[in-house]
Amino acid sequence: MTDNIEQFDIKSFFDSEEIEYLEHGKNVASGWIGISCPFCGDYSNHCGINLKTNLFSCWVCSEKGNIIKLVKEIKKISYKAAQSLLNSHVYTNMYYQPDSNYQSGIDQVIQASKVLIYPRYTLQEIPEIHKKYLISRNFDPDFLKEKYKLKFTHNTGDYRFKIIVPIFINKKNVSWIAVDVIRKGLTAPYIKCPLEMSIVSANSCLYNIDSAKTTAILVEGITDVWRCGDGVIASMTKFITPEQILLLEQKGIKKVFVMYDTDAVNSAKKTA
């Protein structure tokens, strides 16, 4: 019986149980799916499930927790029975197949005719609320802005109150990730650039890869990179994809130390 909640394929479970869920639209943020909340009877899909963490939160009744708690309530069964049920919907392989065009090499993908698209109303100057957020995390806002070419959104647009973090490969900006500075659970804390707006999918990138030589330290998140500096790269998830491994090879990195967060020890071992 697995104890790694992030490996549960919640969409597979919902499909098998014929439970309706929304992947986009009203009340559904990018990187989340929405269902009617079984705790409060909401019928407008305000119960959001984060596809990266498999944690849920209802915007109406504020009920939240892990996916086992949610399935327990939906099925009206014990916690152990819910865990056992979800165990039959674990990802059988932590990897997914690389895009066929990626196999020809990252340089050819980057040279494709696609154009990177940033969110509307992106700013170069740091709004005060973003400064306060970064300072609260013990970061120097001006230093980060210059070193990592950060951009910002204020209170307008679909990506409001975000730090827009460019992702570079071979010194070319190929994607980005948006970091929420409000952190009130209304949107995901991190939102990856949609595929249609990317030159290279964020899932195929390693943040800060250009700073690494032949040895690198692999961490989970971009703020871990900011904390540590050059030579530290981020997978931006608790797992690593085949495209990211290919990128390591193409960049000539011979040795990687995996240093994920303390709640991802098992994932770190599998990644290593």
Side-chain angles (χ1 to χ4, degrees):
M1 186 179 298
T2 182
D3 59 358
N4 192 339
I5 290 173
E6 291 187 359
Q7 292 185 35
F8 291 140
D9 187 347
I10 188 59
K11 291 198 289 186
S12 170
F13 168 75
F14 284 158
D15 289 339
S16 68
E17 296 290 327
E18 297 184 351
I19 296 173
E20 183 179 354
Y21 61 89
L22 295 181
E23 298 185 77
H24 50 77
K26 184 180 179 181
N27 300 328
V28 182
S30 176
W32 294 63
I33 58 175
I35 66 170
S36 296
C37 180
F39 293 94
C40 68
D42 160 66
Y43 290 100
S44 297
N45 302 295
H46 283 100
C47 183
I49 301 137
N50 188 298
L51 293 177
K52 178 181 177 182
T53 64
N54 269 335
L55 299 177
F56 77 91
S57 178
C58 178
W59 298 355
V60 175
C61 67
S62 299
E63 192 71 44
K64 58 185 177 180
N66 65 40
I67 203 65
I68 303 177
K69 177 181 176 180
L70 181 64
V71 171
K72 174 180 177 292
E73 182 66 21
I74 291 173
K75 299 290 290 182
K76 304 299 181 184
I77 55 179
S78 69
Y79 188 93
K80 187 175 182 180
Q83 188 179 40
S84 179
L85 179 60
L86 277 172
N87 196 54
S88 63
H89 295 279
V90 171
Y91 291 110
T92 56
N93 191 329
M94 61 182 274
Y95 301 127
Y96 59 84
Q97 291 296 318
D99 297 334
S100 58
N101 65 340
Y102 203 93
Q103 296 299 317
S104 61
I106 189 67
D107 288 330
Q108 292 186 31
V109 176
I110 292 176
Q111 291 169 9
S113 59
K114 289 188 69 177
V115 176
L116 180 66
I117 301 173
Y118 273 101
R120 296 177 64 188
Y121 314 114
T122 299
L123 307 173
Q124 300 297 324
E125 297 303 315
I126 312 177
E128 193 62 31
I129 190 170
H130 297 61
K131 284 186 177 181
K132 289 181 178 179
Y133 167 76
L134 290 171
I135 292 171
S136 74
R137 298 286 303 273
N138 294 317
F139 289 119
D140 181 334
D142 294 319
F143 172 80
L144 291 183
K145 174 193 170 186
E146 294 303 318
K147 181 171 179 60
Y148 297 105
K149 313 302 180 188
L150 304 183
K151 304 177 189 298
F152 311 90
T153 60
H154 199 214
N155 57 357
T156 305
D158 294 335
Y159 292 87
R160 52 188 175 274
F161 297 116
K162 299 290 188 291
I163 300 172
I164 308 299
V165 184
I167 301 173
F168 296 89
I169 298 179
N170 297 338
K171 299 182 179 180
K172 182 174 178 63
N173 190 185
V174 298
S175 190
W176 47 263
I177 188 167
V179 180
D180 182 60
V181 300
I182 301 295
R183 299 299 173 95
K184 290 186 177 179
L186 299 180
T187 63
Y190 300 94
I191 301 175
K192 292 180 180 177
C193 176
L195 186 60
E196 64 272 15
M197 298 171 70
S198 305
I199 294 176
V200 177
S201 167
N203 290 328
S204 300
C205 300
L206 288 163
Y207 181 65
N208 205 38
I209 185 71
D210 286 350
S211 75
K213 305 299 181 184
T214 58
T215 301
I217 297 175
L218 179 66
V219 296
E220 284 182 51
I222 59 174
T223 56
D224 299 322
V225 169
W226 294 350
R227 192 76 64 194
C228 301
D230 292 349
V232 179
I233 60 179
S235 56
M236 298 172 287
T237 180
K238 287 183 171 63
F239 300 108
I240 193 167
T241 67
E243 292 91 340
Q244 290 172 326
I245 295 173
L246 179 62
L247 182 57
L248 287 171
E249 294 177 357
Q250 292 176 335
K251 295 292 287 186
I253 296 175
K254 305 297 184 183
K255 184 181 294 185
V256 178
F257 296 92
V258 182
M259 198 171 73
Y260 283 174
D261 295 347
T262 54
D263 64 346
V265 173
N266 291 334
S267 300
K269 289 179 178 178
K270 290 179 181 179
T271 296

